[in-house]
Amino acid sequence: MTLRLTRRRDPRTFWLLTSPTLVILLVVGVYPLVASLWMALNRSQVTGPSRFVGFDNFARLAADPRFWNAIINSLAFATLALSLELVFGLAVALALRRSGRETWLVPVFMLPMLISPVVAAVTWLMLYHPTIGLINYVLRPLIGTPAWLANSSLALPSLVVVDIWEWTPFVFLLLRAAYLGASVEIEEAARVDGAGRIALFRHILLPQLAPAIGAVLLIRGIDVLKVFDTIYVMTGGGPGLSTETLGIYIYRAAFEDFNVGYAAALSYVQFALVIVLGLLFIRRVGRTQQ
Amino acid sequence: MTSAVWEFCRKLFLVAALAFVVLPIAWMLITSFKVPNEISTTNPVFVPSAPTLDNYRAALGIAIDERDLSITVASRGAGRSYVRSVVTAGVTTVLVVVLATPAGYALARIRVRGRSVVGQNVLFARVLPPATIALPLFAQFSAMRLIDTPAALIALYLGSTLPFAVWTLMAFIGELPIEVEEAAFVDGASVIQMLWRVVVPVLAPAVVAVAVITFALCFNEFFMALIFTRVHWLTFPVQTAAMIGTGGTPWGPMTAAGVIGLVPPLLTLLVGRRYLVQGLSLGAVK
């Protein structure tokens, strides 16, 4: 008994087992987080020494129309993608039977999210191609041949479709897990009592799925605000600045304009957007697991 | 609405969803076997008349053909970049499992002060935007001459995958019965011995799940690889993306590269699909 208790309360063992992981996270997580704040407070370029400018970078940012454009694009992208992914993911999760023959579809539906974003981008670039693309081949008799990615009002929604393709599987998977965990008995009882499909969904299923929906919105929300890969490969932020999200602008400021301090300030704004969701997420996961 | 109509709509919806998911992948697969003039046409060819493997040779930088010089220049060394991506992802995966298992165990089982703070901070790293990490580390790694090396990439990937790995394993360990571990302690085993002999065997499915997800994430990773690699350690996703816009996009070789790039994540799906939900969601849904 005493042996058991000492093992289970021994701080030395605890730190021995966790310290390798903590050291790595300190070096490639905490340190860069602090260092990039320092960078944001300096004017640093590739040539010449950096000098401390306080909140100058943040002040410039507030007056930068390109920054506000990136914020609007990021939020528009996130809102569109998140809401449609939730609707479609939930619909597929509920449409698929709990068990039986149809379940072979589950691994098939998972495919897009395992595919590399670059490969997904290449595939959709080809589908969206104005002349040789499959989409315009189908739509040609109906609406002609729009240049999906070269049109500044079509490009962002077109990229959202790719995000929906890639990530609805994730939403589906989590909501299906929650649906499988929901009580079949309550559902049956309500059905026997004569509840219609809509009532069944609203009053029986939705309340049981609510925690999972919350979790999905948080995880996807955090990730969709960081979106970079598909946009970078497919449009590079163009045409013009019409698909330049915060992630793309940060990359360009840092690695094309070499304006590192300003890029760091931009990245802190992205961090601020994400952290709101992140803290909610940590609280939520912490509650269920600790 | 009658039951039959409802059932019809349900099936129709599933078929549409299936088509939306599968068609892009199928089209990529078909295109990868086509000759160039069957790709660059406004009337799509659905069955290649003369299936060819040329695109695969070009995608791996094997074919040195006068016809498609620009393609082979763009994909020169692509075979090597594929190996690099597999090695980077493989090494990261092994390290993640070795580091996250004891950390997950400690967080699940050893009740000391500060445990939940440590746990939350580990999870916090999952939330950090890659750009915030990349900017200062790029300067640091440049000074240390680590740009374009496997070490840099592996360190970055450890940072991005350890949080989810630790939390997933922690959740699994928390659900194991504790009695066996205690029996091992009574027998006088050290913590490491006990972990290796008792916890790891029972935990195998979870470890496999964490390993396959880590592998797929690292193999597919683009942003960090784009910034931190140049020539010597250029990864497959970056190489594939670079093929776009080198004198007209070489669709054939690019779709072939896409199919080749699909193999590791597909193996992932086959090996670990039963556990993917828990792994990907950090056990947030229970």
Side-chain angles (χ1 to χ4, degrees), chain B residues 146-195:
Chain B
L146 280 174
I147 303 295
D148 213 12
T149 66
L153 223 46
I154 290 168
L156 291 163
Y157 290 174
L158 282 178
S160 62
T161 53
L162 270 174
F164 105 85
V166 169
W167 270 78
T168 307
L169 291 174
M170 180 182 114
F172 275 101
I173 291 167
E175 280 169 15
L176 296 177
I178 200 165
E179 287 73 20
V180 199
E181 293 161 37
E182 287 174 345
F185 283 143
V186 174
D187 288 345
S190 75
V191 173
I192 301 290
Q193 281 172 329
M194 189 281 306
L195 264 178

CSV table of all heavy atoms in Angstrom, one decimal, chain B residues 146-195:
chain,number,residue,atom,x,y,z
B,146,LEU,N,21.0,25.2,-39.4
B,146,LEU,CA,20.1,24.0,-39.4
B,146,LEU,C,19.1,24.1,-40.6
B,146,LEU,O,18.3,23.1,-40.7
B,146,LEU,CB,19.4,23.9,-38.1
B,146,LEU,CG,20.2,23.3,-36.9
B,146,LEU,CD1,19.4,23.4,-35.6
B,146,LEU,CD2,20.6,21.9,-37.2
B,147,ILE,N,19.1,25.2,-41.3
B,147,ILE,CA,18.1,25.3,-42.4
B,147,ILE,C,18.5,24.2,-43.4
B,147,ILE,O,19.6,23.9,-43.7
B,147,ILE,CB,18.2,26.7,-43.1
B,147,ILE,CG1,17.9,27.8,-42.1
B,147,ILE,CG2,17.2,26.7,-44.3
B,147,ILE,CD1,16.5,27.7,-41.5
B,148,ASP,N,17.4,23.5,-44.0
B,148,ASP,CA,17.6,22.5,-45.0
B,148,ASP,C,18.3,21.2,-44.5
B,148,ASP,O,18.9,20.5,-45.2
B,148,ASP,CB,18.5,23.1,-46.2
B,148,ASP,CG,18.2,22.5,-47.5
B,148,ASP,OD1,17.1,21.9,-47.6
B,148,ASP,OD2,18.9,22.7,-48.5
B,149,THR,N,18.1,21.0,-43.2
B,149,THR,CA,18.5,19.7,-42.6
B,149,THR,C,17.4,19.0,-42.0
B,149,THR,O,16.3,19.5,-41.7
B,149,THR,CB,19.5,20.0,-41.4
B,149,THR,OG1,18.8,20.6,-40.4
B,149,THR,CG2,20.7,20.8,-41.9
B,150,PRO,N,17.5,17.6,-42.0
B,150,PRO,CA,16.4,16.8,-41.4
B,150,PRO,C,16.2,17.2,-39.9
B,150,PRO,O,15.0,17.2,-39.4
B,150,PRO,CB,16.9,15.4,-41.5
B,150,PRO,CG,18.3,15.5,-41.9
B,150,PRO,CD,18.6,16.8,-42.5
B,151,ALA,N,17.3,17.5,-39.2
B,151,ALA,CA,17.1,17.8,-37.8
B,151,ALA,C,16.1,18.9,-37.5
B,151,ALA,O,15.3,18.9,-36.6
B,151,ALA,CB,18.5,18.2,-37.2
B,152,ALA,N,16.2,20.0,-38.3
B,152,ALA,CA,15.3,21.1,-38.1
B,152,ALA,C,13.8,20.7,-38.3
B,152,ALA,O,13.0,21.0,-37.5
B,152,ALA,CB,15.6,22.2,-39.2
B,153,LEU,N,13.6,20.0,-39.4
B,153,LEU,CA,12.2,19.6,-39.7
B,153,LEU,C,11.7,18.6,-38.6
B,153,LEU,O,10.5,18.8,-38.1
B,153,LEU,CB,12.2,18.9,-41.1
B,153,LEU,CG,11.1,19.2,-42.0
B,153,LEU,CD1,10.9,20.7,-42.1
B,153,LEU,CD2,11.3,18.7,-43.4
B,154,ILE,N,12.5,17.7,-38.2
B,154,ILE,CA,12.1,16.7,-37.1
B,154,ILE,C,11.8,17.5,-35.8
B,154,ILE,O,10.7,17.2,-35.2
B,154,ILE,CB,13.1,15.6,-36.9
B,154,ILE,CG1,13.1,14.7,-38.2
B,154,ILE,CG2,12.8,14.8,-35.7
B,154,ILE,CD1,14.3,13.8,-38.3
B,155,ALA,N,12.6,18.4,-35.5
B,155,ALA,CA,12.3,19.2,-34.2
B,155,ALA,C,11.0,19.9,-34.3
B,155,ALA,O,10.2,19.9,-33.4
B,155,ALA,CB,13.5,20.2,-34.0
B,156,LEU,N,10.7,20.6,-35.5
B,156,LEU,CA,9.5,21.3,-35.7
B,156,LEU,C,8.3,20.3,-35.6
B,156,LEU,O,7.3,20.7,-35.0
B,156,LEU,CB,9.5,22.0,-37.0
B,156,LEU,CG,10.5,23.2,-37.1
B,156,LEU,CD1,10.7,23.6,-38.6
B,156,LEU,CD2,9.9,24.4,-36.4
B,157,TYR,N,8.4,19.2,-36.3
B,157,TYR,CA,7.3,18.2,-36.3
B,157,TYR,C,7.1,17.6,-34.9
B,157,TYR,O,5.9,17.3,-34.6
B,157,TYR,CB,7.6,17.1,-37.3
B,157,TYR,CG,7.5,17.6,-38.8
B,157,TYR,CD1,7.9,16.8,-39.8
B,157,TYR,CD2,7.1,18.9,-39.1
B,157,TYR,CE1,7.8,17.3,-41.2
B,157,TYR,CE2,7.1,19.4,-40.4
B,157,TYR,CZ,7.4,18.6,-41.4
B,157,TYR,OH,7.4,19.0,-42.7
B,158,LEU,N,8.1,17.4,-34.2
B,158,LEU,CA,7.9,17.0,-32.8
B,158,LEU,C,7.1,18.0,-32.0
B,158,LEU,O,6.1,17.6,-31.3
B,158,LEU,CB,9.3,16.8,-32.1
B,158,LEU,CG,10.1,15.6,-32.4
B,158,LEU,CD1,11.4,15.6,-31.6
B,158,LEU,CD2,9.3,14.3,-32.0
B,159,GLY,N,7.4,19.3,-32.2
B,159,GLY,CA,6.6,20.3,-31.5
B,159,GLY,C,5.2,20.3,-31.9
B,159,GLY,O,4.3,20.5,-31.1
B,160,SER,N,4.9,20.0,-33.2
B,160,SER,CA,3.5,20.1,-33.6
B,160,SER,C,2.7,18.8,-33.4
B,160,SER,O,1.5,18.8,-33.3
B,160,SER,CB,3.4,20.5,-35.1
B,160,SER,OG,4.0,19.5,-35.9
B,161,THR,N,3.4,17.7,-33.2
B,161,THR,CA,2.6,16.4,-33.0
B,161,THR,C,2.6,15.9,-31.6
B,161,THR,O,1.7,15.2,-31.2
B,161,THR,CB,3.1,15.3,-33.9
B,161,THR,OG1,4.5,15.1,-33.7
B,161,THR,CG2,2.9,15.6,-35.4
B,162,LEU,N,3.6,16.2,-30.8
B,162,LEU,CA,3.7,15.7,-29.4
B,162,LEU,C,2.4,16.0,-28.6
B,162,LEU,O,1.9,15.2,-27.9
B,162,LEU,CB,4.9,16.2,-28.7
B,162,LEU,CG,6.2,15.4,-28.8
B,162,LEU,CD1,7.4,16.1,-28.2
B,162,LEU,CD2,6.0,14.0,-28.1
B,163,PRO,N,1.9,17.3,-28.7
B,163,PRO,CA,0.7,17.6,-27.8
B,163,PRO,C,-0.4,16.6,-28.1
B,163,PRO,O,-1.0,16.0,-27.1
B,163,PRO,CB,0.3,19.0,-28.3
B,163,PRO,CG,1.6,19.6,-28.8
B,163,PRO,CD,2.4,18.5,-29.4
B,164,PHE,N,-0.8,16.4,-29.3
B,164,PHE,CA,-1.9,15.5,-29.5
B,164,PHE,C,-1.6,14.0,-29.1
B,164,PHE,O,-2.4,13.3,-28.6
B,164,PHE,CB,-2.4,15.6,-31.0
B,164,PHE,CG,-2.0,14.4,-31.9
B,164,PHE,CD1,-2.8,13.3,-31.9
B,164,PHE,CD2,-0.9,14.4,-32.6
B,164,PHE,CE1,-2.5,12.2,-32.6
B,164,PHE,CE2,-0.6,13.4,-33.4
B,164,PHE,CZ,-1.3,12.2,-33.4
B,165,ALA,N,-0.3,13.6,-29.4
B,165,ALA,CA,0.1,12.3,-29.0
B,165,ALA,C,0.0,12.1,-27.5
B,165,ALA,O,-0.5,11.1,-27.0
B,165,ALA,CB,1.5,12.0,-29.5
B,166,VAL,N,0.6,13.0,-26.7
B,166,VAL,CA,0.6,12.9,-25.3
B,166,VAL,C,-0.9,12.8,-24.8
B,166,VAL,O,-1.2,12.0,-24.0
B,166,VAL,CB,1.3,14.1,-24.6
B,166,VAL,CG1,1.0,14.1,-23.1
B,166,VAL,CG2,2.8,14.0,-24.9
B,167,TRP,N,-1.7,13.7,-25.3
B,167,TRP,CA,-3.1,13.7,-24.8
B,167,TRP,C,-3.9,12.5,-25.2
B,167,TRP,O,-4.7,12.0,-24.4
B,167,TRP,CB,-3.8,15.0,-25.3
B,167,TRP,CG,-3.6,16.1,-24.3
B,167,TRP,CD1,-2.4,16.8,-24.2
B,167,TRP,CD2,-4.5,16.5,-23.3
B,167,TRP,NE1,-2.6,17.7,-23.1
B,167,TRP,CE2,-3.8,17.5,-22.5
B,167,TRP,CE3,-5.8,16.1,-22.9
B,167,TRP,CZ2,-4.4,18.1,-21.5
B,167,TRP,CZ3,-6.3,16.8,-21.8
B,167,TRP,CH2,-5.7,17.8,-21.1
B,168,THR,N,-3.7,12.0,-26.4
B,168,THR,CA,-4.4,10.8,-26.8
B,168,THR,C,-4.0,9.6,-25.9
B,168,THR,O,-4.8,8.9,-25.4
B,168,THR,CB,-4.1,10.5,-28.3
B,168,THR,OG1,-4.4,11.6,-29.0
B,168,THR,CG2,-4.9,9.3,-28.8
B,169,LEU,N,-2.6,9.4,-25.8
B,169,LEU,CA,-2.1,8.3,-24.9
B,169,LEU,C,-2.6,8.4,-23.5
B,169,LEU,O,-3.0,7.5,-22.8
B,169,LEU,CB,-0.6,8.2,-25.0
B,169,LEU,CG,-0.1,7.8,-26.4
B,169,LEU,CD1,1.4,7.8,-26.5
B,169,LEU,CD2,-0.6,6.4,-26.8
B,170,MET,N,-2.6,9.7,-23.0
B,170,MET,CA,-3.1,9.9,-21.6
B,170,MET,C,-4.5,9.5,-21.5
B,170,MET,O,-4.8,8.8,-20.5
B,170,MET,CB,-2.9,11.4,-21.4
B,170,MET,CG,-3.4,11.9,-20.0
B,170,MET,SD,-3.2,13.6,-19.9
B,170,MET,CE,-4.9,14.1,-19.8
B,171,ALA,N,-5.3,9.8,-22.5
B,171,ALA,CA,-6.7,9.4,-22.4
B,171,ALA,C,-6.9,7.9,-22.4
B,171,ALA,O,-7.7,7.3,-21.6
B,171,ALA,CB,-7.5,10.0,-23.5
B,172,PHE,N,-6.1,7.2,-23.2
B,172,PHE,CA,-6.2,5.7,-23.3
B,172,PHE,C,-5.7,5.1,-22.0
B,172,PHE,O,-6.3,4.2,-21.4
B,172,PHE,CB,-5.3,5.2,-24.4
B,172,PHE,CG,-6.1,5.2,-25.7
B,172,PHE,CD1,-5.9,6.2,-26.7
B,172,PHE,CD2,-7.0,4.2,-26.0
B,172,PHE,CE1,-6.5,6.2,-27.9
B,172,PHE,CE2,-7.7,4.2,-27.2
B,172,PHE,CZ,-7.4,5.2,-28.2
B,173,ILE,N,-4.6,5.6,-21.4
B,173,ILE,CA,-4.0,5.1,-20.2
B,173,ILE,C,-5.0,5.3,-19.1
B,173,ILE,O,-5.2,4.4,-18.2
B,173,ILE,CB,-2.6,5.7,-19.9
B,173,ILE,CG1,-1.6,5.3,-20.9
B,173,ILE,CG2,-2.2,5.3,-18.5
B,173,ILE,CD1,-0.3,6.1,-20.9
B,174,GLY,N,-5.6,6.4,-19.0
B,174,GLY,CA,-6.6,6.7,-18.0
B,174,GLY,C,-7.7,5.7,-17.9
B,174,GLY,O,-8.3,5.5,-16.9
B,175,GLU,N,-8.0,5.0,-19.0
B,175,GLU,CA,-9.1,4.0,-19.0
B,175,GLU,C,-8.6,2.6,-18.8
B,175,GLU,O,-9.5,1.7,-18.7
B,175,GLU,CB,-9.8,4.1,-20.4
B,175,GLU,CG,-10.8,5.3,-20.4
B,175,GLU,CD,-11.3,5.6,-21.8
B,175,GLU,OE1,-11.2,4.7,-22.7
B,175,GLU,OE2,-11.8,6.7,-22.0
B,176,LEU,N,-7.3,2.4,-18.6
B,176,LEU,CA,-6.8,1.1,-18.3
B,176,LEU,C,-7.0,0.8,-16.9
B,176,LEU,O,-6.9,1.7,-16.0
B,176,LEU,CB,-5.3,1.0,-18.7
B,176,LEU,CG,-4.9,1.1,-20.1
B,176,LEU,CD1,-3.4,1.0,-20.2
B,176,LEU,CD2,-5.5,0.0,-21.0
B,177,PRO,N,-7.3,-0.5,-16.5
B,177,PRO,CA,-7.3,-0.8,-15.1
B,177,PRO,C,-5.9,-0.7,-14.4
B,177,PRO,O,-4.9,-1.1,-15.0
B,177,PRO,CB,-7.8,-2.3,-15.0
B,177,PRO,CG,-7.5,-2.8,-16.4
B,177,PRO,CD,-7.5,-1.6,-17.3
B,178,ILE,N,-5.9,-0.1,-13.3
B,178,ILE,CA,-4.6,0.2,-12.7
B,178,ILE,C,-3.9,-0.9,-11.9
B,178,ILE,O,-2.8,-0.9,-11.7
B,178,ILE,CB,-4.8,1.5,-11.7
B,178,ILE,CG1,-3.4,2.2,-11.5
B,178,ILE,CG2,-5.4,1.0,-10.4
B,178,ILE,CD1,-3.6,3.5,-10.9
B,179,GLU,N,-4.7,-2.0,-11.6
B,179,GLU,CA,-4.3,-3.1,-10.8
B,179,GLU,C,-3.0,-3.8,-11.3
B,179,GLU,O,-2.1,-4.1,-10.5
B,179,GLU,CB,-5.4,-4.1,-10.5
B,179,GLU,CG,-6.5,-3.6,-9.6
B,179,GLU,CD,-7.4,-2.6,-10.3
B,179,GLU,OE1,-7.4,-2.6,-11.5
B,179,GLU,OE2,-8.1,-1.9,-9.6
B,180,VAL,N,-3.0,-4.0,-12.6
B,180,VAL,CA,-1.8,-4.7,-13.2
B,180,VAL,C,-0.5,-4.0,-13.0
B,180,VAL,O,0.5,-4.5,-12.6
B,180,VAL,CB,-2.0,-4.9,-14.7
B,180,VAL,CG1,-1.1,-6.0,-15.2
B,180,VAL,CG2,-3.5,-5.2,-15.0
B,181,GLU,N,-0.6,-2.6,-13.1
B,181,GLU,CA,0.6,-1.8,-12.9
B,181,GLU,C,1.1,-1.9,-11.5
B,181,GLU,O,2.3,-2.1,-11.2
B,181,GLU,CB,0.3,-0.4,-13.2
B,181,GLU,CG,0.0,-0.1,-14.7
B,181,GLU,CD,-0.8,1.2,-14.8
B,181,GLU,OE1,-0.5,2.2,-14.1
B,181,GLU,OE2,-1.6,1.3,-15.7
B,182,GLU,N,0.1,-1.9,-10.6
B,182,GLU,CA,0.5,-2.0,-9.2
B,182,GLU,C,1.1,-3.3,-8.8
B,182,GLU,O,2.0,-3.4,-8.0
B,182,GLU,CB,-0.7,-1.6,-8.3
B,182,GLU,CG,-1.0,-0.1,-8.5
B,182,GLU,CD,-2.2,0.4,-7.8
B,182,GLU,OE1,-3.1,-0.5,-7.4
B,182,GLU,OE2,-2.4,1.6,-7.6
B,183,ALA,N,0.5,-4.4,-9.4
B,183,ALA,CA,1.1,-5.7,-9.2
B,183,ALA,C,2.6,-5.7,-9.6
B,183,ALA,O,3.4,-6.3,-8.9
B,183,ALA,CB,0.3,-6.8,-10.0
B,184,ALA,N,2.9,-5.0,-10.7
B,184,ALA,CA,4.2,-5.0,-11.2
B,184,ALA,C,5.1,-4.2,-10.2
B,184,ALA,O,6.3,-4.6,-10.0
B,184,ALA,CB,4.3,-4.3,-12.6
B,185,PHE,N,4.6,-3.2,-9.7
B,185,PHE,CA,5.4,-2.4,-8.7
B,185,PHE,C,5.6,-3.3,-7.4
B,185,PHE,O,6.7,-3.2,-6.9
B,185,PHE,CB,4.6,-1.1,-8.3
B,185,PHE,CG,4.7,0.0,-9.3
B,185,PHE,CD1,3.6,0.8,-9.5
B,185,PHE,CD2,5.9,0.2,-10.0
B,185,PHE,CE1,3.7,1.8,-10.5
B,185,PHE,CE2,6.0,1.2,-10.9
B,185,PHE,CZ,4.9,2.0,-11.2
B,186,VAL,N,4.6,-4.0,-7.0
B,186,VAL,CA,4.8,-4.9,-5.9
B,186,VAL,C,5.9,-5.9,-6.1
B,186,VAL,O,6.7,-6.2,-5.3
B,186,VAL,CB,3.5,-5.6,-5.5
B,186,VAL,CG1,3.7,-6.6,-4.4
B,186,VAL,CG2,2.5,-4.6,-5.1
B,187,ASP,N,6.0,-6.3,-7.4
B,187,ASP,CA,7.1,-7.2,-7.7
B,187,ASP,C,8.5,-6.5,-7.8
B,187,ASP,O,9.5,-7.1,-8.1
B,187,ASP,CB,6.9,-7.9,-9.1
B,187,ASP,CG,5.7,-8.9,-9.0
B,187,ASP,OD1,5.4,-9.2,-7.9
B,187,ASP,OD2,5.2,-9.3,-10.1
B,188,GLY,N,8.5,-5.2,-7.6
B,188,GLY,CA,9.7,-4.5,-7.5
B,188,GLY,C,10.2,-3.9,-8.8
B,188,GLY,O,11.4,-3.6,-9.0
B,189,ALA,N,9.4,-3.8,-9.8
B,189,ALA,CA,9.8,-3.2,-11.1
B,189,ALA,C,10.0,-1.7,-11.0
B,189,ALA,O,9.3,-1.1,-10.2
B,189,ALA,CB,8.8,-3.6,-12.2
B,190,SER,N,10.9,-1.2,-11.8
B,190,SER,CA,11.0,0.3,-11.8
B,190,SER,C,9.9,0.8,-12.8
B,190,SER,O,9.3,0.0,-13.5
B,190,SER,CB,12.4,0.7,-12.4
B,190,SER,OG,12.4,0.5,-13.8
B,191,VAL,N,9.7,2.1,-12.8
B,191,VAL,CA,8.7,2.7,-13.6
B,191,VAL,C,8.9,2.4,-15.0
B,191,VAL,O,7.9,2.0,-15.8
B,191,VAL,CB,8.6,4.2,-13.4
B,191,VAL,CG1,7.6,4.8,-14.3
B,191,VAL,CG2,8.2,4.5,-11.9
B,192,ILE,N,10.1,2.5,-15.5
B,192,ILE,CA,10.4,2.3,-16.9
B,192,ILE,C,10.2,0.8,-17.3
B,192,ILE,O,9.5,0.5,-18.3
B,192,ILE,CB,11.9,2.7,-17.2
B,192,ILE,CG1,12.1,4.1,-16.9
B,192,ILE,CG2,12.2,2.4,-18.7
B,192,ILE,CD1,11.5,5.2,-17.8
B,193,GLN,N,10.6,-0.1,-16.4
B,193,GLN,CA,10.4,-1.5,-16.6
B,193,GLN,C,8.9,-1.8,-16.7
B,193,GLN,O,8.4,-2.5,-17.6
B,193,GLN,CB,11.0,-2.3,-15.5
B,193,GLN,CG,12.5,-2.5,-15.6
B,193,GLN,CD,13.0,-3.2,-14.4
B,193,GLN,OE1,12.5,-3.0,-13.3
B,193,GLN,NE2,14.1,-3.9,-14.5
B,194,MET,N,8.2,-1.2,-15.8
B,194,MET,CA,6.7,-1.4,-15.7
B,194,MET,C,6.0,-0.9,-17.0
B,194,MET,O,5.2,-1.6,-17.6
B,194,MET,CB,6.2,-0.8,-14.4
B,194,MET,CG,4.7,-1.1,-14.1
B,194,MET,SD,3.6,-0.1,-15.1
B,194,MET,CE,4.2,1.5,-14.8
B,195,LEU,N,6.4,0.3,-17.4
B,195,LEU,CA,5.9,0.9,-18.6
B,195,LEU,C,6.1,-0.1,-19.8
B,195,LEU,O,5.1,-0.3,-20.6
B,195,LEU,CB,6.6,2.2,-18.9
B,195,LEU,CG,5.9,3.5,-18.5
B,195,LEU,CD1,6.8,4.7,-18.8
B,195,LEU,CD2,4.6,3.7,-19.1
